[in-house]
Amino acid sequence: MEARIENQTGSQLAELRCDGYKISYFRLDFSQTKPSWQKVVKSFLEYGDKKQLLLLGFVGTHNNDSRQAELLELVNRYGDDAPAVVCCDIENKDIKCILQNIDCYISGCQVEDSEAIDLLSETDVRIVYAGDVNIGESKII
């Protein structure tokens, strides 16, 4: 069952990429003292285009209902013409499958980010630190 779930996630992302989508991944940092998620999402929505998708990952035990509501409100403000933003509950076992099928990894300050960067070190995936740049303006995604 686990392999099928991982393959399904990866194959869906691969299919989107074949359709011309550029996929960026950011692990939501709701629990951080200085979270970057708002900056990442706003920048993506303001500067991204319709052929871009922002995949926001979270692990179920770390989700925060009030932050999720705030995220939904932010995304809804931009309407149907905005690039796609997708949230999904990502188990750590799924991350390799996701990393194999993205164009850009947006790193925050979480331990999991440094682990992902290690996995991406030998790939062509762009790695961007969320706190350093205005992601959308710099055309990184």
Side-chain angles (χ1 to χ4, degrees):
M1 179 86 166
E2 285 180 27
R4 191 180 65 128
I5 291 170
E6 289 181 24
N7 288 337
Q8 183 180 11
T9 302
S11 64
Q12 289 171 337
L13 293 175
E15 195 173 305
L16 286 167
R17 289 179 76 203
C18 284
D19 288 342
Y21 279 84
K22 297 292 184 189
I23 301 173
S24 298
Y25 175 78
F26 178 70
R27 184 182 176 106
L28 286 167
D29 57 357
F30 288 156
S31 62
Q32 297 295 304
T33 54
K34 292 184 178 181
S36 300
W37 71 268
Q38 290 171 316
K39 177 182 180 180
V40 169
V41 173
K42 282 181 186 176
S43 178
F44 184 82
L45 290 169
E46 288 176 13
Y47 299 105
D49 65 42
K50 291 290 256 180
K51 280 293 196 176
Q52 292 178 321
L53 180 135
L54 177 60
L55 180 63
L56 299 173
F58 66 91
V59 177
T61 57
H62 297 295
N63 73 27
N64 180 313
D65 289 339
S66 65
R67 294 282 175 105
Q68 285 183 352
E70 189 179 344
L71 172 62
L72 183 60
E73 181 182 319
L74 175 62
V75 171
N76 285 337
R77 257 188 262 150
Y78 286 85
D80 292 337
D81 292 330
V85 176
V86 177
C87 293
C88 59
D89 190 351
I90 305 293
E91 294 294 329
N92 289 331
K93 66 183 180 303
D94 294 329
I95 194 66
K96 286 182 184 176
C97 205
I98 289 167
L99 295 178
Q100 292 170 352
N101 291 289
I102 61 172
D103 299 287
C104 179
Y105 183 87
I106 304 167
S107 172
C109 296
Q110 301 177 83
V111 171
E112 295 85 0
D113 288 318
S114 60
E115 294 167 357
I117 290 170
D118 286 344
L119 291 170
L120 292 170
S121 64
E122 302 283 323
T123 70
D124 292 336
V125 174
R126 290 188 180 119
I127 300 170
V128 181
Y129 176 60
D132 280 350
V133 295
N134 192 341
I135 293 160
E137 255 183 2
S138 61
K139 301 295 181 202
I140 291 172
I141 49 179

